[in-house]
């Protein structure tokens, strides 16, 4: 509750001081006393009446004496009664009800109300005159209130209090510094967004504007006279601000201005703001600071942005360091499978294979290394999807134990190279199939087993399969147990972060990207399970993987012996021969090589094929002819594949339509299916997958035949090969050689077109040419062009002009290494003269 104002206190004090002076004056007799005057008058009247009464009483004229008393009582209303009394107490004469009014107890003395005067007869006392007057003041509380002195003091107090209050108000307005500012100036100060304060020499607030008062949730007038240090000031670090270290104290002490001082202020609700304080001294005539003008500019949001910017910068620097380390490590990871691919390819070129078994072994190694390299690239491409939480998971029936067995079989060679054991074990019943994403499950197991082999130098790795059923929910469980270096307990959670390994020295010693475990755990969780690690440094680690099995009703349960029945020995790959019913297929692709390759493959198996080079031609053919299936590229001139397919569906065409696309990012299929496609294949096109897809659609049947071993290069070419040549992986298929040669014949013109487009800075044309090469080269078996062409396309889209020319030059270098097939199993290096 708000107390009396300072003006009220001062007015009250001055009024009491006036009363005190009045009482002192009365005590000293400086103020006339009406009661004393009345008493003196009554005494004089009594003396006069006594003189007259003495004369009359001595002569015995008692009737005249009584008449005289009545006359005096009549003329003096204050007289209640009067009487003459002899010395023996006998009343001689009486006026009024003297017996009732006279108080004998005080008859021996006179007061202002009751007087007695002796009457003498000669030298002896004859009697006395008795007069009873009305009291000067009534008796009791009423008498106290009507006491003239009380009335005078109350009157003077009230008059002084009112007079002093209004007088002081006028005086204080002239003395208040805040009132010294004109009203229009003060109104202008109140419109400012920044807070303003003026303090005096004693650091009392003498002026505050509305901006500051609003934040403090008070009125500006309530801040006047308040010590500035009583506000809740904090320094830049958030600790209470020492009064002696405040900028205004420095200004008062030194007389110097203080600029851009960051301080914090907290209000009653503990809401805090940051201000940039500027303090200017208010100087006297002698140049001494007699006050301070303080401006407070609210920079709360700016300071918050600075903190957030600092945090973001720290996070960005951390991310950049991690990704730089990742790219450095990735170089090793990519070069390892590439070394195997190029090395065994070189052996095949030079004819070092002594038998078909050696050739098959070399090809299996090349294939497994290529598969590993593809998985590595997919890890990198999938990283953005993993981080965004947009992973697409299949849920199809698949033999989970077979996936694990295949991974163990593939990695056995790596284990033997290190002198380690790698074994697969099973415990308890295992479901013959589970509902899962086989590609993701394979990726998880490959990452974990590969890591286990990498970080194990002695002993071996055991992969244990079992069925885990927590709370009745079946989970397919895979435990990867190694005897490796182990992981410290405080690092077990960190190893699942992207680009992170348990120890920085691990990267230098063992290599790795730091992506595998992070992606694997997220895949496992997306499949309804998890990955949990336990480890002890120096003794090894266990990574326990679980994935959801889906419903197991009707699923046969395998014994451990049945799970391990297949020994994992690689089986010689056979060529798939298909028998199709009479069917018509429309192939739409702007790349002649792609179109011709697919046409040759399909015609080889008895299918009738028609071609179109863009979506518009494909749409027209599809509407005017009857086709059993359509294979259509996505990115084409005139009309793209998605638009053509959407229009086909709108016109009522129901035949299966399959997309052929060079986009390899997982998750793109959602957009493809929304456009009306039945399915898709990614480029480079996998012939077996293409045939399998068409067989499922058209009712084809598969017959396995033993595939002949690919012929090695001609002996007379061995010594001529100086650097690694590029041979199409389809060169051993005679019917595909025309498509391959057509591509090689067109490649030079297309590269010249790229160089011309780059010279004219026609980035749109350059991107289209790079996109063509990305799909066409891989389709005819020259996979070495796929990644550089894709890189060029991305550089063009990013307008990275400093790197585009180098990318084009790299493609030219690859072109110079091409070996063109001239017949079945025979290739010729175009750089060398043909015999």
């Amino acid at each position: 509750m708000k107390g009396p104002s300072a003006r009220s206190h001062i007015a009250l004090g001055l009024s009491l001081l006036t009363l005190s002076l009045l009482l002192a004056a009365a005590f000293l007799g400086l103020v006339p006393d009406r009661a004393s005057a009345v008493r003196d008058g009554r005494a004089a009247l009594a003396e006069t009446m006594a003189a007259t009464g003495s004369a009359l009483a001595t002569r015995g004229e008692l009737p005249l004496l009584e008449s005289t008393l009545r006359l005096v009582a009549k003329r003096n209303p204050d007289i209640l009664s009067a009487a003459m009394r002899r010395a023996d107490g006998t009343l001689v004469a009486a006026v009024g009800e003297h017996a009732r009014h006279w108080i004998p107890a005080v008859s021996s003395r006179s007061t202002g109300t009751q007087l007695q005067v002796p009457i003498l007869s000669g030298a002896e006392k004859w009697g006395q005159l008795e007069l009873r007057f009305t009291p000067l003041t009534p008796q009791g509380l009423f008498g106290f209130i009507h006491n003239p002195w009380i009335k005078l003091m109350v009157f003077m107090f009230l008059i002084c209090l009112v007079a002093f209050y209004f007088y002081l108000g006028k005086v204080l307005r002239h003395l208040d510094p805040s009132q010294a500012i004109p009203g229009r100036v003060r109104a202008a100060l109140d419109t400012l967004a920044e807070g303003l304060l003026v303090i005096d020499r004693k650091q009392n607030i003498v002026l505050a504007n509305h901006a500051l008062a609003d934040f403090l949730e008070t009125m500006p007038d309530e801040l006047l006279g308040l010590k500035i240090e009583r506000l809740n000031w904090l320094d830049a670090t958030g600790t209470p601000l020492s009064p002696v270290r405040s900028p205004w104290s420095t200004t008062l002490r030194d007389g110097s201005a203080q600029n851009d001082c960051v301080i914090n202020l907290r209000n009653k609700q503990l809401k805090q703001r940051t201000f940039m304080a500027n303090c200017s001294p208010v100087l006297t005539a002698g140049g001494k600071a007699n006050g301070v003008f303080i401006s407070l500019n609210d920079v709360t949001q700016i300071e918050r942005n600075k903190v957030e910017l600092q945090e973001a910068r720290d996070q960005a620097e951390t991310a950049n360091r991690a990704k730089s380390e990742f790219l450095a490590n990735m170089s090793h990871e990519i070069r390892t499978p590439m070394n195997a691919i190029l090395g065994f390819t070189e052996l095949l070129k030079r004819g070092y294979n002594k038998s078909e078994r050696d050739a098959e072994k070399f090809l299996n190694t090349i294939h497994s290394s290529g598969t590993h390299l593809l998985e590595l690239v997919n890890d990198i491409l999938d990283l953005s999807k993993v981080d965004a939480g947009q992973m697409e998971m299949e849920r199809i029936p698949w033999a989970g134990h077979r996936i694990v067995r295949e991974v163990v079989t593939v990695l056995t060679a790596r284990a033997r190279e290190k002198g380690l054991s790698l074994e697969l074990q099973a415990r308890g019943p295992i479901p013959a199939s589970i509902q899962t994403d086989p590609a993701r499950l394979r990726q998880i197991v490959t990452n974990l087993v590969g890591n286990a082999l990498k970080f194990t130098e002695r002993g071996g790795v055991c992969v244990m399969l079992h069925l885990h059923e927590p709370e009745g929910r079946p989970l397919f469980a895979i435990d990867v147990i190694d005897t490796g270096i182990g992981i410290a307990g405080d690092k077990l959670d960190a190893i699942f972060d992207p680009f992170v390994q348990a120890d920085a020295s691990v990267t230098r010693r063992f290599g790795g990207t730091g992506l595998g475990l992070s992606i694997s755990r997220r895949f496992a969780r997306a499949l309804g399970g998890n990955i949990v690690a336990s480890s002890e440094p120096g003794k090894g680690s266990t990574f326990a993987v679980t994935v959801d099995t889906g419903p197991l009703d009707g699923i046969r349960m395998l014994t451990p012996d049945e799970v391990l029945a297949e020994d994992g020995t690689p089986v010689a790959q056979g060529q798939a021969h298909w028998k199709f019913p009479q069917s018509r297929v429309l192939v739409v692709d702007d790349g002649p090589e792609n179109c011709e390759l697919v046409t040759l493959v399909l015609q080889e198996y008895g299918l009738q094929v028609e071609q179109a080079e863009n979506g518009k031609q494909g749409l027209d053919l599809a509407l005017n002819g009857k086709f059993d299936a359509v294979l259509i590229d996505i990115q084409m001139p005139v009309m793209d594949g998605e638009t053509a397919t959407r229009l086909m569906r709108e016109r009522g065409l129901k035949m299966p339509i399959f997309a052929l696309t060079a986009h390899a990012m997982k998750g793109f299929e959602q957009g493809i299916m929304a456009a009306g496609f039945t399915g898709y294949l990614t480029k480079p096109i996998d012939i077996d997958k293409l045939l399998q897809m068409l067989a499922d659609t058209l009712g084809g049947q598969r017959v396995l035949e033993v595939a002949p071993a690919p012929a090695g290069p001609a002996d007379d070419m061995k010594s001529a090969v100086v650097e690694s040549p590029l041979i199409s992986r389809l060169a051993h298929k005679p019917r595909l050689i025309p498509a391959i040669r057509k591509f090689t014949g067109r490649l030079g013109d297309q590269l010249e077109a790229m160089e011309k487009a780059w010279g004219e800075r026609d980035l749109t044309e350059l991107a289209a040419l790079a996109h063509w090469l990305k799909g066409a080269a891989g389709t005819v078996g020259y996979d070495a062009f796929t990644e550089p062409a894709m890189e060029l396309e991305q550089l063009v889209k990013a307008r990275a002009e400093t790197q585009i020319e180098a990318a084009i030059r790299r493609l030219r270098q690859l072109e110079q290494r091409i070996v063109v097939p001239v017949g079945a199993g025979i290739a010729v290096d175009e750089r060398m003269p043909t015999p």
Side-chain angles (χ1 to χ4, degrees), residues 140 184 219 567 768:
R184 61 181 180 277
M219 296 299 295
D567 59 7

Side-chain angles (χ1 to χ4, degrees), residues 285-411:
K288 185 177 180 181
N290 197 39
V292 181
F293 182 87
I294 307 169
S295 67
L296 300 169
N297 187 19
D298 191 346
V299 294
T300 304
Q301 189 60 45
I302 296 176
E303 290 298 312
R304 186 178 294 120
N305 291 343
K306 286 171 61 178
V307 172
E308 293 177 353
L309 181 61
Q310 180 66 35
E311 293 176 351
R313 186 179 68 179
D314 292 343
Q315 293 175 359
E317 290 177 351
T318 301
N320 284 335
R321 284 195 300 270
K323 290 182 180 179
S324 296
E325 295 173 1
F326 157 71
L327 292 176
N329 299 335
M330 188 62 68
S331 173
H332 170 76
E333 294 298 309
I334 292 177
R335 289 176 184 274
T336 299
M338 284 299 297
N339 180 62
I341 294 171
L342 295 177
F344 281 103
T345 302
E346 187 73 13
L347 291 178
L348 289 173
K349 283 173 47 188
R350 295 177 181 273
Y352 289 160
N353 50 307
K354 304 301 181 181
S355 64
E356 291 185 2
R357 186 176 182 85
D358 287 342
E360 183 178 354
K361 179 179 179 182
F362 293 167
L363 288 174
N364 286 336
T365 302
I366 293 172
H367 182 268
S368 63
S369 297
T371 302
H372 175 63
L373 181 60
L374 180 61
E375 291 172 350
L376 184 63
V377 173
N378 284 337
D379 278 351
I380 302 171
L381 296 178
D382 286 347
L383 181 60
S384 60
K385 286 288 185 181
V386 172
D387 288 340
Q390 299 176 353
M391 295 174 293
E392 299 291 338
M393 293 291 171
E394 289 184 307
R395 290 299 178 95
I396 59 177
W398 206 271
H401 64 283
R402 187 172 300 166
I403 294 174
V404 179
R405 188 173 60 235
E406 290 172 356
V407 171
V408 171
T409 300
V410 171
L411 295 180

Side-chain angles (χ1 to χ4, degrees), residues 529-560:
N530 198 5
I531 298 180
V532 178
S534 59
S535 183
E536 186 175 349
K539 294 186 178 181
S541 306
T542 297
F543 286 83
V545 185
T546 54
V547 295
D548 187 20
T549 64
L552 295 180
D553 298 337
I555 302 298
R556 190 169 71 89
M557 304 302 288
L558 305 179
T559 65

